[in-house]
Amino acid sequence: MTGIIEFTGPVLTGPDTERRGLWSVGGRLTFRRPSAAPDHVLDGWVIPGLVDAHCHIGLGPGGDVPEDVAESQALADRDAGTLLVRDAGAVHDTRWLQHRADLPRIIRAGRHIARTRRYLRGLAVEVEPDGLVEAVRKQARAGDGWVKLVGDWIDRDAGDLAASFPAATVREAVRAAHDEGARVTAHCFAEDTLDDMLDAGIDCIEHGTGLLPRHLPRFVEQSVPVVPTLINIATFPDIAARAEAKFPRYAAHMRSLWERRAERILEAHEAGVAIYAGTDAGSVISHGRIVDEIQSLHAAGLPAAAALDAASWSARAWLGADGIAEGASADVLVCTEDPRRHLGTLGGPRHSVLRGRLLH
């Protein structure tokens, strides 16, 4: 049952805005003091529940997982402070997660769409170029307003990263998704893939390790954000080592992308490209690591407040989700210190409230 919660500490309504006097009444936030006494009084710095903008609840290293495993993944994310997830592709329909009041909110993207035999086995709908538009329309209808493309992957004949689909086909596919009312995001490692995606009118880029100075003005002009997934990019040296013997060009390319990962993200941030935090949990990355991703963005050069914003106020606004506002759903964390200055406080929030329910 939801009752009345009073928050007595500073309420951070944005990265540089602060208020005092906030309550949760019946699961909704209000700045107006209720007539009844609170059931709980929580003191500390109040921020919106964190956002993992690239997460795979329902995926494991081998692909699909049973529902009990998906549930444990969602709980791990929730207990780490992630109260809103943008799913970036799962095999089975995870709409059942959305009916659980004790699990994070989830915005689903259906299944990945990849080129035949050009992605991790068992994860994606695999099609040839002539089937891409139809697949995009189908996944747009299956998700919650997002479609996930695999923009590039290793081409074993070329021995290096290469675009999954012809540029003209990608343009048609993005138009089809937009016709269905969905936005499109794309897994992109390589440099040239980004040009094709920007030409197509893509709505978001995942990873973006191939960002070059020439791309940045277009990202800003077209309002295309990047979700870097830095804790996943940290695995590139291991990927390169495993590929070295058979695909030396690919291995060298992956190492080069890894070496400039922080520099590229900082350049993008300083150019005005929107950066959002995502862990890529669900395959090789374990769930519950959103704070590690925020810390990685800060280590790459983003100011602490900007790194937090990438998983908080701006991320929620981008996804059309409630932040801290009158009548918003009471999905908040209460921290012992100001998280804009002390990101470490996110690792152990004093309290977590989801849909007006005090979790811990």
Side-chain angles (χ1 to χ4, degrees):
M1 296 291 291
T2 59
I4 298 176
I5 301 173
E6 180 178 2
F7 303 94
T8 60
V11 178
L12 305 182
T13 56
D16 53 8
T17 55
E18 182 178 320
R19 294 186 65 168
R20 289 273 184 169
L22 180 69
W23 292 262
S24 169
V25 180
R28 294 285 166 179
L29 296 175
T30 181
F31 293 100
R32 296 188 290 270
R33 181 183 294 274
S35 57
D39 300 286
H40 303 280
V41 178
L42 309 182
D43 184 47
W45 298 80
V46 184
I47 61 170
L50 298 176
V51 179
D52 190 336
H54 184 131
C55 191
H56 302 280
I57 296 175
L59 280 187
D64 200 13
V65 298
E67 288 193 355
D68 64 319
V69 175
E71 178 188 37
S72 68
Q73 293 173 339
L75 289 170
D77 288 323
R78 184 203 71 182
D79 291 346
T82 296
L83 303 186
L84 175 63
V85 166
R86 185 188 62 144
D87 163 65
V91 176
H92 74 263
D93 189 333
T94 56
R95 269 179 279 215
W96 62 274
L97 291 164
Q98 297 171 321
H99 302 296
R100 287 277 300 270
D102 61 327
L103 298 181
R105 298 182 186 277
I106 182 169
I107 299 170
R108 300 163 37 261
R111 291 188 72 174
H112 306 66
I113 304 173
R115 184 74 174 263
T116 310
R117 293 185 295 278
R118 288 278 305 282
Y119 194 50
L120 298 170
R121 188 176 303 171
L123 265 65
V125 174
E126 298 187 0
V127 297
E128 286 299 285
D130 60 1
L132 180 61
V133 171
E134 180 182 353
V136 163
R137 289 192 181 277
K138 181 176 180 179
Q139 294 308 313
R141 294 165 186 165
D144 300 324
W146 282 95
V147 174
K148 169 73 173 293
L149 299 181
V150 178
D152 56 27
W153 199 251
I154 184 172
D155 183 329
R156 289 168 177 78
D157 293 332
D160 199 359
L161 291 168
S164 302
F165 299 101
T169 307
V170 174
R171 288 196 296 272
E172 293 177 20
V174 171
R175 283 198 296 269
H178 291 170
D179 287 345
E180 298 288 342
R183 290 185 279 183
V184 185
T185 193
H187 160 111
C188 296
F189 285 163
E191 296 85 351
D192 293 344
T193 313
L194 296 176
D195 297 289
D196 292 348
M197 294 299 165
L198 290 167
D199 289 345
I202 199 76
D203 300 290
C204 182
I205 292 293
E206 311 299 318
H207 317 302
T209 47
L211 276 168
L212 296 174
R214 74 166 189 260
H215 297 127
L216 299 181
R218 295 193 63 192
F219 270 82
V220 174
E221 179 184 346
Q222 296 176 217
S223 298
V224 178
V226 177
V227 183
T229 68
L230 289 175
I231 62 172
N232 185 26
I233 303 311
T235 67
F236 277 21
D238 290 339
I239 295 172
R242 293 196 300 270
E244 184 74 54
K246 291 183 66 175
F247 304 108
R249 282 181 56 204
Y250 168 73
H253 196 176
M254 294 295 279
R255 288 193 188 96
S256 173
L257 295 173
W258 173 79
E259 287 166 357
R260 292 200 64 238
R261 66 200 183 283
E263 178 183 346
R264 285 170 165 165
I265 292 306
L266 181 57
E267 288 174 349
H269 171 71
E270 291 179 339
V273 178
I275 306 292
Y276 299 118
T279 63
D280 206 358
S283 54
V284 297
I285 304 299
S286 59
H287 285 262
R289 294 192 59 194
I290 188 61
V291 177
D292 291 339
E293 183 65 22
I294 295 169
Q295 295 275 24
S296 295
L297 290 172
H298 182 41
L302 271 66
L308 175 58
D309 194 28
S312 187
W313 308 278
S314 291
R316 284 179 168 272
W318 171 58
L319 293 173
D322 290 337
I324 295 180
E326 187 69 34
S329 178
D331 301 346
V332 300
L333 304 181
V334 183
C335 301
T336 57
E337 299 179 86
D338 185 346
R340 298 170 298 181
R341 297 175 176 83
H342 307 283
L343 292 176
T345 194
L346 297 170
R350 181 174 289 167
H351 304 288
S352 179
V353 177
L354 176 61
R355 299 178 176 89
R357 293 173 170 85
L358 181 60
L359 300 177
H360 61 75

